Amino acid sequence: MTTLALGPSWLDPDYLLNQFGLWGLLLIVFAESGLLIGFFLPGDSLLFTTGLLITTNKLDTPLWLACVLICLAAILGDQAGYLFGKKVGPSLFNRPDSKLFKQENVVKAHDFFEKYGPKSLVLARFVPIVRTFTPIIAGVSGMRYRSFITFNIIGGVMWGAGVTLLGAWLGNIEFVHKNIEAILILIVLVSVVPIAIEFLRARSKSKKAAAEDAAPGTPPAQQRGRHAKR
């Protein structure tokens, strides 16, 4: 099976699975789930392709075993991220930008966590980049470990097994085989929709606030009061 690489060829799910097999897949899932260096990895399309290759007998691994190991790698990855965040603490927010680390990713995950609370650990699994930083932010914020591990397991199973089983189920449909490139692109697009919505919403609020502040006839005292409420 040939797929369209969504970026560099070494990030193409088909290439990664052919080169590194199941153990490479598990390492990628672990890294993307909670290591700072893993935010750019193709988790969703990789899991989907894994399920598809298994159901078409192009990957010699039982589906149930792949799902169990993927879920375990995802849960342990979040665990590593949580412990890292708890150890590093607030210093993470003062870390300078580099080629692999962008402060905006930390802020984005922090806002996501603040908005959705513990359930963000489940929701973030389906949002690229955010899923890498959210468990770290949970550790930074001192989230209760019992709550963390509960939502970590739920999210890890829903994402790890869910996306893999979806690929296996759709792998039996002829239309999917003929349009695999489009399917993978669609998965990536759908996974970034939540980020796009939040970005547009924040941009709209910012423009609205700027327009209100710039409105003629607005007393300075009223503007100061509005800023104070924020």
Side-chain angles (χ1 to χ4, degrees):
M1 181 183 72
T2 58
T3 60
L4 178 66
L6 305 175
S9 60
W10 52 272
L11 285 180
D12 178 40
D14 196 33
Y15 171 82
L16 290 171
L17 289 169
N18 286 332
Q19 291 295 315
F20 305 107
L22 179 63
W23 295 110
L25 162 68
L26 298 177
L27 181 60
I28 290 173
V29 170
F30 177 86
E32 193 187 9
S33 294
L35 302 185
L36 289 177
I37 61 173
F39 70 92
F40 63 90
L41 296 171
D44 297 316
S45 55
L46 187 61
L47 296 185
F48 182 88
T49 304
T50 298
L52 192 150
L53 290 177
I54 290 176
T55 199
T56 55
N57 298 317
K58 294 180 180 178
L59 189 62
D60 188 22
T61 303
L63 181 60
W64 69 267
L65 179 60
C67 287
V68 170
L69 293 177
I70 288 171
C71 291
L72 185 60
I75 292 169
L76 291 177
D78 260 28
Q79 176 74 20
Y82 176 85
L83 293 176
F84 174 79
K86 194 169 184 178
K87 182 177 181 180
V88 172
S91 62
L92 183 67
F93 289 88
N94 298 320
R95 183 172 177 174
D97 285 348
S98 64
K99 290 183 178 181
L100 290 178
F101 180 85
K102 298 296 181 183
Q103 193 62 237
E104 62 180 303
N105 292 332
V106 178
V107 175
K108 185 185 298 180
H110 181 267
D111 292 342
F112 192 88
F113 181 80
E114 287 294 313
K115 180 176 182 179
Y116 296 106
K119 67 179 181 180
S120 64
L121 291 168
V122 177
L123 299 175
R125 287 288 189 179
F126 301 90
V127 184
I129 299 179
V130 173
R131 69 168 148 256
T132 302
F133 288 89
T134 297
I136 299 174
I137 298 302
V140 171
S141 65
M143 179 180 179
R144 288 181 57 194
Y145 184 73
R146 181 178 297 180
S147 296
F148 168 80
I149 195 64
T150 299
F151 287 95
N152 176 19
I153 293 174
I154 294 173
V157 171
M158 289 180 64
W159 178 66
V163 178
T164 305
L165 290 173
L166 178 64
W169 176 61
L170 293 178
N172 292 313
I173 302 176
E174 186 65 23
F175 173 82
V176 175
H177 286 284
K178 293 181 179 180
N179 300 274
I180 184 62
E181 295 92 349
I183 295 295
L184 290 177
I185 292 175
L186 179 62
I187 290 174
V188 173
L189 292 177
V190 170
S191 64
V192 301
V193 164
I195 292 180
I197 292 175
E198 289 300 323
F199 172 78
L200 293 175
R201 185 179 298 171
R203 187 176 181 182
S204 177
K205 288 182 178 179
S206 177
K207 287 184 176 180
K208 184 177 180 180
E212 290 178 352
D213 288 344
T218 303
Q222 185 177 342
Q223 291 185 10
R224 287 196 298 269
R226 189 183 299 130
H227 286 298
K229 290 180 180 179
R230 293 189 195 125

